[in-house]
Structures are given as C-alpha cells and as structure tokens.
Amino acid sequence: MFMAQLNLATGSSHSRLKLVIVSLLVTWIFAAGLTVPIQAQVAQAQIPTSSLADGSSQTTELLRRRLLDANLDQRRAAALSTRSASTNIQVDLLPEFIEILRHENDGQVRLAIFDTLTDLGPRAAVAVPALAYAMQHDFGGRRNEEKHQDYRAALALASVGPMAVECLRNLIADSQDNVRAEAAMALGRIGEEASVAIPDLIHLLSDSDERVRSDATFALSKMGASALEPLLTASRDQEEIIRAAAIRALGNVGTNEHASDMASSAILEALQDDSPSVRRAAVDSLVILIESPQALREHLKPLLQDPSPEVIDAACNQFAQSPEMLEGTEQHLLTLLTNERDLVASRAAFLLSICDPNQTVQLLVAAQDARTRMNDIAESLASQGETITPSLEAALEHQSPRVRACGALALGTLRPVAPTTATRLGHLLLNTSPELQEPIVRAIAKLGNHALPAAPQLREILVHRDAKLRVLAIETLLLAAQHDQQLIDQLTTALTDRDPTVQLAVLSALKSLGPQAATSIPAVISQLDNTNPAVQTAAAELLANQGPAAAAAVPEIKRILEHSSPEKTVVLVTTLGQLGDTAVAALPQLLPLLESDMADLRAAVLGTLSNFDLDLPQVRAYILPSMGDKDEIVRNRAYSAIRKMGPSATQLAPDLILLLEDEVGIENVERLLERLLEYSVSPQTVANLIALLPPIAGSKNGGSLKEKSLKFVVRFLAQGGQAALEAVPQLQQLELRESSEIRDAAKLTIEKLSRSSR
C-alpha cells in the first residue's frame, strides 16, 4: 500500500511530495492507532479477514452497522476493515461511504474510506459528487489534516477515471487554492482521457497560487498530443509565467512522436526568451526531450554565459550530472575562466574540476591570466582531493607569481591538510611579490589550527606597509599562533598602528582572548581618547569585557566624561558599570547625566548604578524617581535596578506605593510591587506603611490614597508580622468600606496578623 501511494507523488511539486509523505505518516498512525488503549479497542472491533474476503451478506450488514455506529472506535475499525473487504462488499457499502463523506467528522474514518474508494476505481463512480463535496468542505480537522483529506479525495476521483472528469473540471474553478491544485493533479493522473479539460488547465497556468500552476503544468504534460496546440499557443503568451509553464509541459508532451518536432522548436525558441524563468524551463524541458548528450551539449553551452544566474546554474547542473555532456567542452570552459562575470567564471572552474582529472595543469596555466579568478580555480583544484597535492606543491615553485598564489590557495583549501603545507606557505609568504601576499595569507588562514608553522612569517607581516594585509595577518595569527603572552604582546604593540582598521582588528582579537589579554589593558585605556569613534567604542567594550580587572580605566573615563559626546558617553557609562566597586568614584560624573535629554543615556546611567553597592538613601534619591520617567526605556531600567536589590527592596514599598498615585509608569510600579510581596516586611517599613493608611476617627495622622494604592498598603502589612498588629484598628475600619476589594484585603490581612500573634 505504501509503495502504491508513494508512486502517486511523481510528476508534481515539492509541496506535493511533502503532502504525500505527511499523508503516508497520517495513514500509518491512523492504521496503527494513536494510543495503546485505542489500538486494543479497535482490535477487538475488527472483523476477521476470512469473513471480509468471503463477501457474505452477513459481513456486509455487520460493516454497515459499524460504519454508522455511534461508537467512534467501532466506526474506525469498520472503516479500516473495508480496505480488506471483497469488491462485492465494497460496492454494496457505497451508500454508506457516501453518507460518511458528507457527514463524518473523524479524520481516521474518512481517510480509510477515501483509500477504499481509490481501490474501487471506476466502480466508485456513484461517489464522485460526494468526493467533490468532501474536497470543498472541512470536516472537523485542522486545515493541514483537511489538506491530506483533499489529496486523498482527489486520488479517489482520479482512480474513477473519465467519469470523474466533468466533476474535476468544476473543481479547478473552486475558490480554494488547495482544491484547484488537487483537482488539476487528479486530471493529470487520468491523463489523455481527460483531454477535454485542457482549456481549463491552460487557464490555470496564470493562477495566483504557485502550487496550482505547478499541478496544472503537470496535468497538461500528461495529456499527450491533444495538448500540443494549446501549449504551443500558451508558449507565446504575453505573461511569462504562462510561457514558462507551457514550455515546461511541452517537455513531456514532446516525447510523443507526433508532437516531438513542434515541441522541440518551441522549446529551442524559448532558450532566447527575454524571461529567465522561461529560459530555465526550456533547459529542463530540453533535458527530457533531447536524448543525445552531444546535441544537448551544443544547446546548453551558450547558456553558461546567460545573463541570469538561475539559467547558468540550471545549465551547469545538467553538465555536472552527465560525464558525456562534458566531453569536448574543456577549451570552451577554459575560455569562460576569463569571463568578467564572477558566476560564469566560477561555474566554468567547477565544471573543469569534474570534467577531467588531468585538467590540473590547464587550470594552473589559466591562473597566469590576470583576468581569471584565483579563488575559483583554487577551489576547483582542491575539489580533486589529496592526490593533487604534489602538483600543487610544485606550483609553489612556478615562475608565475599568480600560479604560486593559486597553488597556495588550493593547498589551503585542500583536505586533509598535507603535513608540510603550513611551512611551505609561510616560506612563500615572504618570498613573493607584495600584491600576491594577500592570497597567501588567506591560504594560511584556511588551514585553521594547522597553520602554526606559518606563525613566524605572519608576525613579520604585522609591519607590512599595506594596512589591509596587516589586518588579515592579525586575524590569521589569532587562528594560527598559540594564545600565549608573545601573541598578546605583539597585538598590544600593533595597537599603536595609525590605521583605525588595524586598531579595530587588534581590539577584536584581544577581546576574543578574554582574561588572557589583561596585560594589554593600559594600552587599551589609551585608546579611549582615540579620534576614531569606532576605535573608542571597541576599546571601551574590551575594558567592559575585562570587568574589575580593568578598574585602572576609571580615572581616564571620568576625565573623558567631562567633554565626550552623548553617544560616546553612553558607551563609557556602560563600561563603568562593569568595572566593579572602584567605579563608584565616578558618581559625581554620573549623577548629573540622569538629567540628560537623551533617554538612552539616562537608561545607561541607571544600568551602571544598579551594579554599584548603593545604600537605601542613594537608591531612593538616584534610582526611584526614574520609575516615573517619561521614557519607557528609562522606567524599565529603573525597574530592573530595584528588582536587582532582592528582598531589601521591600524597604522601598511605601515609596513605590506613592508613585502609584501618578499616572506615568504605574504598570512597572505595580509589577514591581507584586514581586516584592513575596518577601517579609521590616518593622521600619511597616511603620511607614501604617502612616499611609486612612486615619482613625479623631486622629490627625494618616493618609488619603487611591483605592489601588491603598490595597497594596493593606497587602504589604500582611507581610509585616507582629510589627503590623498596630494597624489592626485602621484595618478594621477599612472593613467597612464600600469597595469589596478593600474590604476583602483588609479582612485577609487581619486574619493573617491574628494567626501570627498566637
């Protein structure tokens, strides 16, 4: 059964294949049962195979009753049993099958019936309207499951054959993309006997849905010679998607001996079409239509220089799939190595690498031409494997600098790496022309951890006059050299380079070394005042990465903060937050920045302050006011800073509750208060909370809060233990309030305090 269903996927799109695979899985799951209990129940309900095969009326009646039974397990078992029943029983049960297709909501039952109808083929013609109805309506499953059902229903219609054609013609006009696609697929499976639907399928070639177009193309390709004239007309349509689909279908139609010549002419003409998608379709169709590798080769060779990358790749793929296609193309491909377009040259180099193992010499000779791309040639050479190593090593001694560089790049790419490669490349690096040193360094970089023997030569390049090469040497040294103090010292020295790109490369390398790079901190600090903003930022980030070990940077940062731009200040402030307790000395420079107009800067200051060990008055003075800041980013940073304090932040509960009286930022305040309710409350905080409660009659002490704020006061007092008993009279007074929320909160708090006093 599985192989039969898998064959149904041929000739359609990737989405079709996915659908088939998922459908097979669904069938397997449904057939096996989703759980052990269900499997056991179904097993009990199943009818013996011998009874299903005998075609008796008793078996038919038993299946009929169970198919319509109220018990789902009975219906599932009966539906599965119909697959094994005799043809006579299946035909007798057609009325029940139709009833199920129109009303059953269970996917397992429906899929089993679809499969049974597929097995019946033309005998199931009476069920065609019900199958169409099933495709157009959803029955209780998620949409993906419904798509599986649509597919299985379409397969059943296809198995009915010509008697289902008119129904399918109606379905390909349906408003649902999936229905149109499945109907087109089914017509394609019926084939030439559905040729009356050719005009309808031609119309679908311009459908808005790609899958519908793909299935219509597939269907037309199965219609035989009858589809030739309509497809030839469509191949000249003004819309390129129609032309492309028609050309793709003609590839299969043209295999018919009566249609071959006209189809071939149209496809060859399409190779000159203005549209890349049409030319790409023509390539695919030519491969089907032209059997001779020699003839196909001559048609595809010009396409290796096509303006469209997708057409070049299509042609290249066809050449790569057949050794016969590549025979005699060597000179043409060598010519393409000098093409001004990168893609053309790289594909030519690729094809040469698989064309003939003896092309090594010709490829290296081609590398002498300054118009060729050494990287492409090197990759092609390396793809030939380690047997080419001697030839590449010999190329390192060639009189042409470009051949030497190309050989080096190939050796760097080749795997496994030859034992002497790094040493050879290191020697070559200092003994070649300056303009070719860059590819040599890149070749060494490709060696990764095999590049260590070339480290001494790379160090010499650190003082090369070309900044680009110095950067490349730094990046490669990080891969090749041991991460020891010698490397760190050399990088630190390179930080004095006057070129910002080199400085940035050094800072990036030092940062990647982590704590090992601590000895470079003084040199990095000196870059905080660099005239290049990118270098300043990279230096600050490296110091932040070092953490308290870079505390020596605090005085310099303090000095720079006095005159830095807002953007640079944000970076410096953030860095201070990572430098430990020593950075508290910068408070005088930080606090005025809380009044900045720049929200990012205010947020950065709060983030840094949260890393300091501030006392409660400092938090209350510096951080708490920002909970009501006009900018959300600042409010969020203040929220994070206070939350970071943990249980000690409950001392701020009265202050936070008062902030609820304002309208700005109350969401964060409420969120923070809810978190703080997890902790107990100190006696001093309890006293401050009691002061916020409404006064007892005759007393002048107390506050007047909004209901939301008052409720938080009551809830926090519940966490106050013995110290909060003093608030009971005021809480009892709150039990008389009109607000049920306040009454309930006061009652719960009094009960909790009473329990704590026992």
Side-chain angles (χ1 to χ4, degrees):
M1 179 183 74
F2 288 108
M3 287 306 298
Q5 290 184 13
L6 188 58
N7 288 336
L8 301 177
T10 58
S12 192
S13 62
H14 290 298
S15 57
R16 165 77 54 221
L17 183 57
K18 290 180 184 175
L19 190 56
V20 172
I21 293 170
V22 175
S23 185
L24 289 173
L25 289 173
V26 170
T27 300
W28 178 78
I29 292 170
F30 286 171
L34 292 176
T35 63
V36 173
I38 290 176
Q39 197 174 36
Q41 294 172 25
V42 171
Q44 293 174 3
Q46 283 179 338
I47 300 169
T49 304
S50 57
S51 299
L52 293 169
D54 65 15
S56 67
S57 58
Q58 292 90 339
T59 303
T60 303
E61 288 306 313
L62 179 59
L63 280 171
R64 181 176 284 117
R65 288 197 306 273
R66 290 187 177 179
L67 283 171
L68 303 177
D69 198 287
N71 183 284
L72 178 59
D73 292 327
Q74 292 280 6
R75 299 202 304 280
R76 287 178 175 175
L80 288 171
S81 296
T82 62
R83 293 295 310 278
S84 304
S86 67
T87 302
N88 290 339
I89 290 178
Q90 292 175 339
V91 171
D92 288 343
L93 291 174
L94 279 170
E96 283 68 37
F97 295 162
I98 292 170
E99 179 72 12
I100 287 169
L101 294 185
R102 290 187 175 277
H103 302 291
E104 175 64 63
N105 283 324
D106 183 68
Q108 294 188 40
V109 175
R110 296 180 65 81
L111 288 173
I113 298 305
F114 287 138
D115 289 343
T116 301
L117 290 171
T118 301
D119 293 341
L120 275 173
R123 298 182 185 87
V126 67
V128 166
L131 287 166
Y133 183 85
M135 288 179 66
Q136 292 176 303
H137 296 82
D138 292 348
F139 286 89
R142 295 175 181 170
R143 188 56 199 152
N144 281 341
E145 182 182 328
E146 292 299 335
K147 287 182 178 179
H148 305 329
Q149 293 190 31
D150 292 345
Y151 173 61
R152 303 285 265 278
L155 291 180
L157 285 168
S159 73
V160 170
M163 289 179 284
V165 170
E166 286 306 313
C167 173
L168 289 167
R169 290 182 69 187
N170 291 330
L171 288 175
I172 60 176
D174 194 89
S175 61
Q176 301 176 71
D177 296 342
N178 196 61
V179 173
R180 297 197 303 280
E182 302 300 4
M185 178 275 298
L187 286 167
R189 291 191 60 76
I190 294 172
E192 294 185 33
E193 292 181 298
S195 59
V196 66
I198 289 174
D200 309 293
L201 292 168
I202 291 287
H203 178 72
L204 288 188
L205 296 183
S206 60
D207 195 277
S208 59
D209 185 79
E210 189 278 333
R211 186 176 158 219
V212 174
R213 297 195 302 273
S214 175
D215 282 314
T217 302
F218 161 74
L220 285 164
S221 72
K222 300 298 180 181
M223 294 295 167
S226 300
L228 179 60
E229 287 298 334
L231 285 172
L232 289 173
T233 301
S235 72
R236 296 186 290 271
D237 196 275
Q238 290 186 346
E239 291 191 47
E240 65 178 77
I241 59 171
I242 295 179
R243 297 200 304 277
I247 290 297
R248 203 172 290 279
L250 278 170
N252 284 303
V253 171
T255 57
N256 184 297
E257 60 180 343
H258 301 296
S260 179
D261 290 343
M262 287 187 286
S264 296
S265 296
I267 293 168
L268 289 173
E269 184 180 336
L271 290 176
Q272 310 302 320
D273 196 281
D274 292 338
S275 166
S277 62
V278 177
R279 298 197 300 277
R280 167 65 193 270
V283 171
D284 295 340
S285 289
L286 273 181
V287 173
I288 298 171
L289 208 55
I290 300 180
E291 295 182 359
S292 166
Q294 294 79 10
L296 184 58
R297 178 199 310 142
E298 294 310 309
H299 290 304
L300 295 185
K301 275 170 61 177
L303 298 181
L304 291 174
Q305 300 179 71
D306 192 273
S308 167
E310 68 171 306
V311 177
I312 292 174
D313 283 340
C316 184
N317 288 338
Q318 295 306 326
F319 275 109
Q321 288 175 20
S322 172
E324 292 180 281
M325 286 280 291
L326 287 168
E327 289 181 7
T329 62
E330 294 86 350
Q331 289 304 315
H332 178 67
L333 294 173
L334 285 167
T335 301
L336 294 183
L337 289 177
T338 61
N339 193 282
E340 61 184 13
R341 295 172 59 205
D342 288 341
L343 183 64
V344 174
S346 66
R347 295 300 183 267
F350 164 72
L351 290 176
L352 277 167
S353 70
I354 61 174
C355 183
D356 181 357
N358 297 320
Q359 289 299 316
T360 303
V361 174
Q362 290 190 347
L363 281 168
L364 288 170
V365 169
Q368 297 181 68
D369 191 325
R371 295 172 298 171
T372 59
R373 292 157 183 79
M374 286 191 293
N375 284 330
D376 294 335
I377 295 176
E379 287 183 12
S380 295
L381 289 167
S383 69
Q384 296 180 36
E386 59 185 317
T387 56
I388 200 176
T389 301
S391 298
L392 296 179
E393 290 179 342
L396 299 183
E397 309 298 329
H398 197 278
Q399 62 181 4
S400 166
R402 281 182 60 87
V403 171
R404 295 199 298 274
C406 189
L409 283 168
L411 281 170
T413 307
L414 186 65
R415 294 296 181 273
V417 176
T420 60
T421 294
T423 302
R424 287 175 175 273
L425 294 183
H427 175 75
L428 181 63
L429 178 60
L430 301 182
N431 293 278
T432 193
S433 55
E435 68 272 15
L436 294 176
Q437 285 180 310
E438 180 183 339
I440 308 300
V441 175
R442 293 193 182 281
I444 295 171
K446 290 176 181 289
L447 297 176
N449 57 6
H450 296 283
L452 181 59
Q457 289 82 12
L458 288 170
R459 290 188 170 100
E460 292 193 39
I461 299 297
L462 291 178
V463 294
H464 196 279
R465 66 174 182 273
D466 183 352
K468 183 179 180 182
L469 192 56
R470 297 200 298 276
V471 168
L472 189 57
I474 290 166
E475 294 170 349
T476 306
L477 260 180
L478 199 61
L479 297 171
Q482 292 180 339
H483 292 181
D484 53 15
Q485 193 58 47
Q486 181 187 8
L487 175 63
I488 294 169
D489 291 344
Q490 287 176 323
L491 290 173
T492 303
T493 300
L495 196 54
T496 60
D497 195 294
R498 294 184 178 182
D499 191 287
T501 61
V502 177
Q503 293 172 324
L504 287 169
V506 171
L507 290 168
S508 176
L510 289 170
K511 185 178 179 181
S512 71
L513 293 173
Q516 272 187 287
T519 56
S520 70
I521 287 175
V524 176
I525 292 173
S526 69
Q527 298 302 320
L528 290 174
D529 222 6
N530 193 295
T531 55
N532 185 287
V535 175
Q536 294 172 349
T537 300
E541 290 174 350
L542 192 158
L543 293 169
N545 193 55
Q546 288 290 325
V554 172
E556 181 67 6
I557 293 176
K558 285 173 58 180
R559 183 187 68 79
I560 297 173
L561 281 175
E562 300 289 348
H563 57 81
S564 63
S565 66
E567 292 76 15
K568 181 178 176 181
T569 300
V570 170
V571 176
L572 293 173
V573 167
T574 303
T575 300
L576 280 171
Q578 305 301 316
L579 301 185
D581 294 338
T582 307
V584 176
L587 268 178
Q589 286 75 30
L590 291 172
L591 296 179
L593 300 177
L594 287 171
E595 306 300 323
S596 170
D597 293 333
M598 186 177 175
D600 286 344
L601 180 52
R602 300 198 302 278
V605 173
L606 289 170
T608 293
L609 292 178
S610 71
N611 290 329
F612 294 166
D613 188 17
L614 301 179
D615 58 30
L616 190 64
Q618 288 175 315
V619 173
R620 189 173 276 126
Y622 308 150
I623 297 177
L624 189 65
S626 295
M627 288 292 294
D629 194 278
K630 62 177 181 170
D631 287 293
E632 185 178 8
I633 185 176
V634 180
R635 297 196 300 271
N636 288 341
R637 198 63 61 86
Y639 164 83
S640 299
I642 295 175
R643 182 182 167 190
K644 197 173 180 180
M645 295 170 61
S648 64
T650 55
Q651 298 174 81
L652 297 172
D655 306 87
L656 291 166
I657 290 170
L658 288 175
L659 287 176
L660 284 179
E661 298 295 287
D662 298 325
E663 295 299 323
V664 179
I666 59 173
E667 298 85 358
N668 270 354
V669 175
E670 286 185 68
R671 193 153 49 106
L672 187 53
L673 286 169
E674 290 289 350
R675 287 188 172 277
L676 295 179
L677 280 167
E678 300 172 5
Y679 309 120
S680 59
V681 180
S682 69
Q684 180 57 53
T685 304
V686 168
N688 293 336
L689 288 166
I690 293 174
L692 298 177
L693 288 172
I696 300 175
S699 171
K700 294 183 180 180
N701 298 321
S704 176
L705 298 174
K706 294 178 182 178
E707 183 176 305
K708 182 183 293 184
S709 305
L710 183 57
K711 184 179 176 182
F712 270 113
V713 172
V714 173
R715 292 173 67 194
F716 270 101
L717 285 171
Q719 305 296 102
Q722 295 281 335
L725 288 171
E726 181 185 339
V728 170
Q730 288 161 283
L731 292 170
Q732 289 172 334
Q733 188 171 279
L734 292 178
E735 287 187 291
L736 305 176
R737 284 286 185 102
E738 291 184 8
S739 167
S740 60
E741 289 193 12
I742 296 297
R743 292 199 309 271
D744 293 344
K747 181 179 178 180
L748 289 172
T749 297
I750 291 171
E751 290 175 355
K752 185 172 182 178
L753 293 176
S754 298
R755 288 195 299 272
S756 68
S757 65
R758 293 171 189 166

